[in-house]
Amino acid sequence: MSILESLTLPASLKEIALKVLAGNRISPEEAVELYESNNLSALGLLAGSVKRRHSSDYVYFNKNFHIEPTNICINHCKFCSYRRNPGQKGAWECSIEEMVEMVERNLLKGATEVHIVGGVHPDRDVRFYADLLRAVREKAPGVHIKAFTAVEIDQMCKMGNLSVEEGLQMLKEAGLESMPGGGAEIFDETLRAEICPDKTDSAGWLQIHGAAHRMGIPTNATMLYGLKENYHHRVDHLRRLRDLQDQTGGFNAFIPLKFRKANNLYSSRKETTVVEDLKNYAVARIFLDNIPHLKAYWPMIGKQVAQLSLFFGVDDLDGTIDDSTRIYSMAGAEEQNPSASTAELVEMIRTAGFRPAERDTLYNILATF
């Protein structure tokens, strides 16, 4: 029996399913219809078919750790539980020497990637961060440096009186190899003005990622969901990512980021259900036909839901992380001390019926299990 024959679908959804199974692109209107469907099993089957086209039965992870240089930030995002003012209780700003010591400790654990992202500091420009990259590269010449959101790069370049392209070139020469996808939040301009009014705007985020792609710097992409957006807002966000990927081909992975309510101005709002989380993964995988990988960031949603997401198009569980990030734990995420061993990630993947593969940052397979 084919996948389609196993599904009981209304006519309109059956037409969408036929397109997906044939490898054809769906429209934004069809994506909204998928979001509005309550047939979670059908969404999972369709997303799984797209996942297999991209990555067969593999599910990836890597050995990584995070460095968060500071949580002092000039922006005032209302959903943020991480930001602090200078001198405020709970604020930190690591020196370059302290961050190099973090690198040195993690080298002993076999890490292949360092992920550097934090607040937008008021006094650190692009030259400070280029110095940081050079110091990390000198200490760990074989470790891939994935660093800085578009929001950070926007501000550090402005402070350094450089264009984005000039700043990216400086960072690339210092050791930057790829960029994370943070800061995208939601692209709808009205919503963005409400929830993060002083952050780099949607056009700016897309422009910076496009510039990075054209310079040979691959990036990831994200979407904050579960706050105030509706399905049309989500699909608009996904469409803009898909359009840019058509132009540049520079996105490696898409990571949906679930809103967490602890310790921020939206703490009275309900968080999305697990069903909604899984639906969101599935629709993203189906719609973003040109972005090769879909990541479930397990420190945010917890290991059990991350494992469930593998049945809804996800092919990447991020990495070992080793309790090196506080962004989501401060917002009340499921994993308060996020760390996972290789054996634990392999078991999560294998017991779900997939083939575990340790990867590097660019999805070259280093080992299978």
Side-chain angles (χ1 to χ4, degrees), residues 61 63 320 340-350 356 369:
F61 68 92
K63 292 178 181 176
T320 49
S341 67
T342 295
E344 187 175 9
L345 291 171
V346 166
E347 184 68 9
M348 287 170 63
I349 296 165
R350 182 178 286 143
F369 302 85

Side-chain angles (χ1 to χ4, degrees), residues 47 59 74 85 115 120 143 152 160 167 200 215 248 262 278 310:
V59 170
I74 63 170
N85 291 315
H115 178 126
V120 181
V143 171
E152 292 171 272
T200 303
M215 295 174 65
T248 66
L278 298 176
L310 302 182

Side-chain angles (χ1 to χ4, degrees), residues 123-232:
D123 301 319
R124 292 176 168 179
D125 71 5
V126 65
R127 292 172 180 84
F128 172 89
Y129 289 106
D131 288 343
L132 168 62
L133 295 180
R134 279 188 285 268
V136 171
R137 173 57 63 241
E138 182 177 355
K139 177 61 64 175
V143 171
H144 182 104
I145 301 176
K146 180 171 72 177
F148 314 131
T149 66
V151 175
E152 292 171 272
I153 287 173
D154 185 23
Q155 182 62 21
M156 69 174 72
C157 291
K158 288 176 180 175
M159 291 174 63
N161 294 313
L162 297 176
S163 69
V164 165
E165 289 77 8
E166 290 169 333
L168 282 170
Q169 186 61 40
M170 178 182 290
L171 295 171
K172 183 177 180 181
E173 291 172 359
L176 179 69
E177 294 176 86
S178 66
M179 285 169 50
E185 318 313 357
I186 197 75
F187 288 151
D188 179 81
E189 283 75 12
T190 300
L191 276 181
R192 194 176 187 87
E194 179 180 349
I195 67 174
C196 48
D198 43 10
K199 181 171 266 182
T200 303
D201 64 17
S202 304
W205 189 98
L206 291 163
Q207 184 267 325
I208 291 166
H209 279 262
H213 297 170
R214 287 186 287 273
M215 295 174 65
I217 302 171
T219 75
N220 289 337
T222 63
M223 176 178 70
L224 177 69
Y225 73 95
L227 184 48
K228 304 189 79 171
E229 85 289 347
N230 59 37
Y231 291 149
H232 292 276

